[in-house]
Amino acid sequence: MRPAAERVRLLRSLALFSGLADADLELVAAKLTEASFDKGTTIFRAGDPGDSMFLLVRGKVAIRDRARLLVTITAPECFGELAVLSNEERSADAICDESCELLKLRASDLRELLATRPALQHQMMLALVRRVKEVGSRR
């Protein structure tokens, strides 16, 4: 199991959490669980419930819409947060391109944190707005 300080450092390196105070990062870090997957393993499929988001610690994950590659996620990065935040089904598949180490944050834990930590709400909103702008500028 990764030490709490290492989890906090990882969270701080991610745009979704980078602006949070140490106390907020520590609360998020305490909710994370670890998972490892072999190359070729499907983490989730389109249509699955958005019951958790993931922080990629090591490896690469392909986000696919059927056979079409949408994006390759490389560590350190988050994925799966949109289905969690929108409370909708997954819109694509997430498949390990390499063996991967992940940290998982359950949707129920994230909702609890968002309800009690306004700074986390604000930081996530800013990060998502930046992501939408990046996607829009690529078109």
Side-chain angles (χ1 to χ4, degrees), residues 16 19-21 24 27-28 110-126:
L16 208 52
L20 294 177
D24 289 328
L27 288 172
V28 175
L110 179 60
R111 282 190 204 93
E112 178 184 315
L113 289 166
L114 290 171
T116 59
R117 307 306 281 198
L120 180 56
Q121 289 178 18
H122 182 72
Q123 182 61 32
M124 291 190 96
M125 180 189 66
L126 291 175

Side-chain angles (χ1 to χ4, degrees), residues 34-131:
E34 296 185 23
S36 296
F37 296 97
D38 294 327
K39 179 179 180 177
T41 301
T42 299
I43 300 167
F44 57 75
R45 293 199 179 280
D48 286 352
D51 59 358
S52 53
M53 62 177 283
F54 299 89
L55 290 68
L56 183 60
V57 177
R58 184 184 59 76
K60 291 183 182 178
V61 173
I63 306 298
R64 298 186 162 277
D65 182 9
R66 296 187 184 105
R68 185 173 66 117
L69 176 65
L70 300 175
V71 66
T72 299
I73 308 293
T74 57
E77 189 57 79
C78 307
F79 64 97
E81 72 279 7
L82 295 180
V84 168
L85 292 170
S86 65
N87 201 27
E88 296 178 347
E89 295 176 342
R90 304 288 183 186
S91 60
D93 302 337
I95 303 166
C96 297
D97 270 354
E98 301 175 356
S99 60
C100 295
E101 291 179 25
L102 304 167
L103 296 173
K104 179 179 176 179
L105 180 59
R106 294 181 325 158
S108 57
D109 289 334
L110 179 60
R111 282 190 204 93
E112 178 184 315
L113 289 166
L114 290 171
T116 59
R117 307 306 281 198
L120 180 56
Q121 289 178 18
H122 182 72
Q123 182 61 32
M124 291 190 96
M125 180 189 66
L126 291 175
L128 293 171
V129 166
R130 283 191 295 270
R131 187 175 294 174

Side-chain angles (χ1 to χ4, degrees), residues 2-21:
R2 295 182 187 285
E6 185 178 336
R7 291 175 180 213
V8 167
R9 276 193 304 277
L10 175 66
L11 288 167
R12 190 177 289 113
S13 74
L14 302 170
L16 208 52
F17 301 101
S18 64
L20 294 177

